[in-house]
Amino acid sequence: NAGVTQTPKFRILKIGQSMTLQCAQDMNHNYMYWYRQDPGMGLKLIYYSVGAGITDKGEVPNGYNVSRSTTEDFPLRLELAAPSQTSVYFCASSHERWQGGTDTQYFGPGTRLTVL
Amino acid sequence: QQQVKQSPQSLIVQKGGISIINCAYENTAFDYFPWYQQFPGKGPALLIAIRPDVSEKKEGRFTISFNKSAKQFSLHIMDSQPGDSATYFCAVRSGSARQLTFGSGTQLTVLP
C-alpha cells in the first residue's frame, strides 16, 4: 500500500491564481481530512469528509473548497490564492472503525505552498 | 479560541534523559488524546494515545499520563535518544468524524 499520497510536493503561486492540491489513499478509508500547518501553530483542520459525496467545514475553511467523488480521492481547491494561504498542507485519512483499539489518522507527506 | 495549550515550545535534553511535554485542554467533551510525532519534511505519525477512562498508558519508552480532573495530559519519553529528535504534537478528538484539534507543537532536540 502506498498509504496517503499528495501532489505536488511544492508549488509557488501568484496572488489571485487558483490550484488544486491532490490527495489519494489506497487503504479504503472512509474518513479523510485536510490540514494546514503554519510555523509554531500546529495543524488546523480545513475540511473533512466521512465518505464519498459528504464533506464538511473544519476550523479554517475560508478560501478553500473540497469535493469527494470517490472513496480514494479528496482534492483541495484554492481559489484566488492569497499570501495568508502560504503554508504546508497535509491530507490524512482514517478507518471508519477503530483498528485494534487505536484511532489513527494516517498523514500524507504534505504539499508546501508559497503564495507571492 | 485555543482549545489545546501545549508546552514547552522547544525542549533540549541530553541522551538518556527524560523528556516531558505537557498539554492542557478546555472542553470536557473530548474523548481521545493522541500524541503525534513529526520528523522534518514528513507528515505527522501517531506515537501513542490514551482514552479518558485510563490515567496512564505506556508503550516502550513512551508514557502518557492523563489527569481528567485537571484537564491535562503529558508525554514522557524515558531514556531519550537522538533519534527521538522531532516535533511532538498533542491532540484532542471530538465530533462524529473524529476530528482532531492539535496543540502548537514541541520541538525536541536530544543531544548525543
Side-chain angles (χ1 to χ4, degrees):
Chain A
N1 286 353
V4 180
T5 57
Q6 292 184 240
T7 56
K9 287 192 167 104
F10 305 94
R11 184 73 184 268
I12 298 175
L13 282 181
K14 293 183 179 178
I15 295 172
Q17 287 186 320
S18 300
M19 77 164 293
T20 298
L21 281 66
Q22 301 292 342
C23 173
Q25 53 88 14
D26 61 358
M27 297 175 282
N28 201 31
H29 286 170
N30 282 332
Y31 291 10
M32 296 188 74
Y33 312 85
W34 273 106
Y35 296 90
R36 59 177 288 172
Q37 183 177 28
D38 301 320
M41 298 295 289
L43 293 93
K44 294 198 181 296
L45 184 64
I46 305 171
Y47 269 95
Y48 63 93
S49 170
V50 298
I54 306 170
T55 62
D56 208 345
K57 296 178 181 178
E59 183 182 356
V60 289
N62 291 345
Y64 307 95
N65 273 302
V66 294
S67 59
R68 184 98 182 266
S69 57
T70 66
T71 299
E72 294 77 20
D73 300 297
F74 190 39
L76 177 72
R77 178 81 178 163
L78 278 72
E79 303 283 0
L80 299 174
S84 61
Q85 293 178 304
T86 294
S87 188
V88 181
Y89 291 84
F90 288 100
C91 179
S93 73
S94 65
H95 200 280
E96 183 176 346
R97 294 193 181 90
W98 290 36
Q99 302 294 291
T102 300
D103 184 9
T104 304
Q105 285 192 17
Y106 296 88
F107 283 79
T111 294
R112 184 175 295 274
L113 175 67
T114 302
V115 181
L116 300 174
Chain B
Q1 181 182 358
Q2 192 175 0
Q3 298 198 66
V4 186
K5 293 183 180 179
Q6 182 172 344
S7 62
Q9 188 173 3
S10 63
L11 181 62
I12 299 175
V13 174
Q14 293 285 341
K15 178 182 175 181
I18 301 173
S19 305
I20 301 175
I21 305 171
N22 301 298
C23 276
Y25 61 95
E26 298 175 356
N27 189 337
T28 56
F30 299 131
D31 63 358
Y32 192 68
F33 301 86
W35 285 90
Y36 279 76
Q37 179 188 54
Q38 184 180 31
F39 293 103
K42 304 291 186 184
L46 180 67
L47 181 64
I48 187 172
I50 197 167
R51 296 163 76 163
D53 54 346
V54 176
S55 61
E56 184 176 282
K57 182 173 182 180
K58 183 175 181 180
E59 291 184 356
R61 296 185 294 110
F62 302 92
T63 300
I64 299 179
S65 297
F66 184 78
N67 186 330
K68 190 173 182 178
S69 61
K71 292 189 283 187
Q72 295 176 346
F73 60 111
S74 59
L75 175 68
H76 297 236
I77 306 175
M78 310 299 289
D79 186 26
S80 298
Q81 299 296 313
D84 296 331
S85 296
T87 301
Y88 293 81
F89 294 95
C90 64
V92 294
R93 189 189 74 176
S94 63
S96 58
R98 311 203 302 266
Q99 301 95 299
L100 294 178
T101 301
F102 285 85
S104 54
T106 297
Q107 187 168 349
L108 172 66
T109 302
V110 181
L111 300 175

